[in-house]
Amino acid sequence: MTHSDRMTRRAVVRAVGLATASAALAGCIDESSVNDPNESTDGDSQPSDEQGSEPNDTGDEDRSNGDDESADDAGEEQIPAPPELELRGERDGWRVLAPDGLEGDVNPDLLLEAGRTYRIGWTEGDGLGHNIEIRDTDGNVVDDLSTPVTQDPDGEQWLEFEATEEMAAYVCTPHESTMRGELSVETPVDRGSDSSDGEEPAQDREFRIEPETTIELYARTADWRGIAPAALEDVANPTLVLEAGERYELGWTDGDGAEHNIRILDTDGNVIDDLRTDLTSDPGDEQVLAFEASEEMAIYTCEPHRSHMQGDIRIDATE
């Protein structure tokens, strides 16, 4: 699927989403016309807010509205989970504080990689009682990954865990109808072997790049997608074979609207020769790195989405 095909698909999905939202809004208006006009949502919720542990005092209509808002904020596709996700606890949803690429999102649906270690927690709140726990599809806490309910996280409300397939949601117990994000876990593909899912083997994603070439990528939270040269078009996280001592340019010239940057790292994860760009949702002219290929170069990556937006660099030394 080409970049233009992806853009067309997103436009169609967005149009369908708007039509669905309009229908849902019409339904809410119809329902409100038969509700008790003296009923006060804010007044009903005050006792629950003070205790922080009685979310069921809020009416069904409030709960459904909160879920709809969370779903709208989270977007239609899962977001590859960053290694660390910092949240703010609010009765209406978990709001992302960090990393920058997800800041402001509410209850994002996260895609985890089985066997990878993650940290999820909240460091700020709205003064109500919250906790955070990881649950399976039956609503059971996974591996005791649960914190006590508190009005003040005090830096202690973090869960560190290795992703396993039974993980299905991160939830606040007192406000589980609104403070809930979905989790799904995928098994990583072995890049050194063929995949039954149609994933290309590693050797088929290696591309020898001619010196003085500008390598253009499309930045999305799921992966880097090749744009140019033509051989890279729509290839996910292509492996770049460069010639030592030769000049190249590498960067992203289009993106999915989230904040990204690009860095070139060595095998220890260190940035080489300050080859990095600032985080932005608009690549402009500043998201292209010009450099001379050197043997320590091993990886190009996006810092906030490095678990999925990462490609290999292989250097051919000159004789």
Side-chain angles (χ1 to χ4, degrees):
M1 181 171 64
T2 66
H3 171 57
S4 60
D5 290 337
R6 288 196 304 274
M7 295 298 290
T8 301
R9 178 182 179 276
R10 284 200 296 273
V12 171
V13 171
R14 187 178 297 111
V16 173
L18 288 173
T20 303
S22 298
L25 178 59
C28 289
I29 293 173
D30 289 342
E31 182 180 354
S32 65
S33 65
V34 297
N35 284 342
D36 183 358
N38 294 322
E39 183 179 8
S40 172
T41 300
D42 292 338
D44 289 344
S45 63
Q46 287 304 316
S48 154
D49 288 354
E50 184 176 354
Q51 296 298 323
S53 59
E54 298 178 2
N56 292 331
D57 286 350
T58 304
D60 291 340
E61 185 178 359
D62 285 340
R63 287 200 299 271
S64 64
N65 288 343
D67 287 342
D68 289 343
E69 290 173 3
S70 299
D72 289 343
D73 288 339
E76 295 180 348
E77 61 180 342
Q78 293 172 323
I79 299 171
E84 184 171 289
L85 183 69
E86 182 179 358
L87 303 167
R88 173 180 166 82
E90 301 176 355
R91 190 178 69 119
D92 292 334
W94 292 114
R95 187 172 299 276
V96 178
L97 296 177
D100 292 339
L102 301 179
E103 185 177 4
D105 285 4
V106 177
N107 296 336
D109 294 342
L110 302 175
L111 179 63
L112 308 178
E113 186 175 305
R116 185 180 290 271
T117 298
Y118 298 90
R119 293 183 78 228
I120 298 179
W122 64 289
T123 59
E124 295 181 10
D126 55 8
L128 306 182
H130 304 298
N131 80 330
I132 188 167
E133 58 189 38
I134 306 295
R135 297 183 185 176
D136 61 20
T137 54
D138 295 324
N140 301 315
V141 175
V142 177
D143 296 333
D144 294 324
L145 290 169
S146 178
T147 65
V149 175
T150 179
Q151 295 178 339
D152 181 6
D154 196 27
E156 300 299 323
Q157 292 282 287
W158 285 96
L159 297 174
E160 183 169 344
F161 58 91
E162 184 176 294
T164 56
E165 293 182 358
E166 66 265 37
M167 295 177 176
Y170 59 99
V171 181
C172 168
T173 301
H175 309 103
E176 60 183 282
S177 64
T178 54
M179 297 178 67
R180 178 187 181 93
E182 303 302 316
L183 300 175
S184 61
V185 181
E186 67 174 6
T187 301
V189 175
D190 183 356
R191 293 190 174 191
S193 61
D194 292 337
S195 166
S196 59
D197 294 331
E199 180 82 5
E200 294 175 282
Q203 61 269 26
D204 292 341
R205 294 202 305 274
E206 288 190 353
F207 298 89
R208 182 174 295 277
I209 308 299
E210 293 296 322
E212 305 296 332
T213 296
T214 297
I215 303 159
E216 297 182 48
L217 302 169
Y218 178 86
R220 63 178 200 168
T221 53
D223 52 38
W224 293 110
R225 288 279 168 162
I227 296 177
L232 304 184
E233 186 175 0
D234 214 34
V235 176
N237 296 329
T239 295
L240 307 176
V241 182
L242 310 179
E243 187 173 330
E246 296 293 340
R247 300 285 300 179
Y248 298 90
E249 290 186 344
L250 171 64
W252 60 289
T253 57
D254 197 1
D256 59 5
E259 284 197 324
H260 304 292
N261 73 344
I262 189 166
R263 307 179 300 162
I264 296 180
L265 311 179
D266 61 20
T267 54
D268 295 324
N270 301 314
V271 176
I272 296 175
D273 297 332
D274 203 30
L275 289 170
R276 75 174 96 197
T277 63
D278 295 329
L279 281 170
T280 180
S281 58
D282 180 9
D285 295 327
E286 301 302 320
Q287 291 292 309
V288 175
L289 300 171
F291 60 92
E292 183 177 296
S294 58
E295 294 185 15
E296 66 264 36
M297 294 179 175
I299 295 167
Y300 62 94
T301 184
C302 169
E303 184 172 6
H305 308 110
R306 57 186 176 272
S307 62
H308 286 72
M309 295 179 69
Q310 180 167 296
D312 294 330
I313 296 174
R314 187 163 66 80
I315 303 296
D316 275 358
T318 56
E319 296 182 358

